[in-house]
């Protein structure tokens, strides 16, 4: 007497595999975790920003007195990639500037040599009422932070 199809192990294994595949396609994906941190006071701010999965993060320091934004990517016991930007010139404010900076994951295309980093920096300045987004590449050596976009949030 032949064995019924419902009692064959191979049928149940195949059915389980198919249901597992269907479930994995429709199950919500877990987001990738990224570690961002930021700290600051009146005249000095510091934050970290993701460069790429499996590589070192970048650290940026914003000197509110001079309006200079300086950073670097840590790797191999040093900072092989360094960045600098004069924010005072970008925002057109020389005296009494008040900045705030936060990192974010945007993964933009940044012109220049090297691979674009996944993270960007958003910098807002209170006196001018502007917010700018700055991207960077992971190329070694001295680099410039690239302004990618901006908008006015006050007095438009």
């Amino acid at each position: 007497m032949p064995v019924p199809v419902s009692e064959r192990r191979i049928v149940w294994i195949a059915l389980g595999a198919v249901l597992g595949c269907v479930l994995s396609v429709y199950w919500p994906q877990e987001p990738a975790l990224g570690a961002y941190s930021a700290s600051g006071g009146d005249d000095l701010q510091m934050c970290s920003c993701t460069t790429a999965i499996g590589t070192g993060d970048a650290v940026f320091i914003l000197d509110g007195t001079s309006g200079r934004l300086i950073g670097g990517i840590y790797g191999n016991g040093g900072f092989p990639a360094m960045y600098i930007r004069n924010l005072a010139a970008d925002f057109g404010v020389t005296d009494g500037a008040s900045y705030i900076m936060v990192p974010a994951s945007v993964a933009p295309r940044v012109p220049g040599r090297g691979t674009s980093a996944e993270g960007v920096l958003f910098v807002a300045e209170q006196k001018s009422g502007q917010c700018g987004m700055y991207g960077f590449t992971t190329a070694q050596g001295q680099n410039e932070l690239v302004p990618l976009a901006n908008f006015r949030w006050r007095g438009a």
Side-chain angles (χ1 to χ4, degrees), residues 57-100:
D57 284 355
V59 63
F60 292 96
I61 299 168
L62 173 54
D63 180 1
T65 306
S66 67
R68 288 175 28 136
L69 177 59
I70 300 171
I73 297 175
Y74 179 79
N76 296 326
F79 289 89
M82 296 295 296
Y83 306 92
I84 191 164
R85 186 78 191 183
N86 183 351
L87 298 178
D90 288 351
F91 292 109
V93 178
T94 54
D95 294 331
S98 178
Y99 301 98
I100 189 161

Side-chain angles (χ1 to χ4, degrees), residues 63-151:
D63 180 1
T65 306
S66 67
R68 288 175 28 136
L69 177 59
I70 300 171
I73 297 175
Y74 179 79
N76 296 326
F79 289 89
M82 296 295 296
Y83 306 92
I84 191 164
R85 186 78 191 183
N86 183 351
L87 298 178
D90 288 351
F91 292 109
V93 178
T94 54
D95 294 331
S98 178
Y99 301 98
I100 189 161
M101 169 179 65
V102 294
S105 180
V106 176
R109 291 195 173 195
V110 179
R113 60 186 178 89
T115 306
S116 297
E118 291 181 3
V120 297
L121 298 172
F122 287 100
V123 180
E125 198 286 315
Q126 187 171 1
K127 193 172 181 181
S128 68
Q130 296 181 59
C131 180
M133 180 175 85
Y134 294 88
F136 57 100
T137 63
T138 59
Q140 290 189 2
Q142 187 70 33
N143 301 293
E144 188 172 335
L145 288 159
V146 179
L148 298 174
N150 64 4
F151 67 93

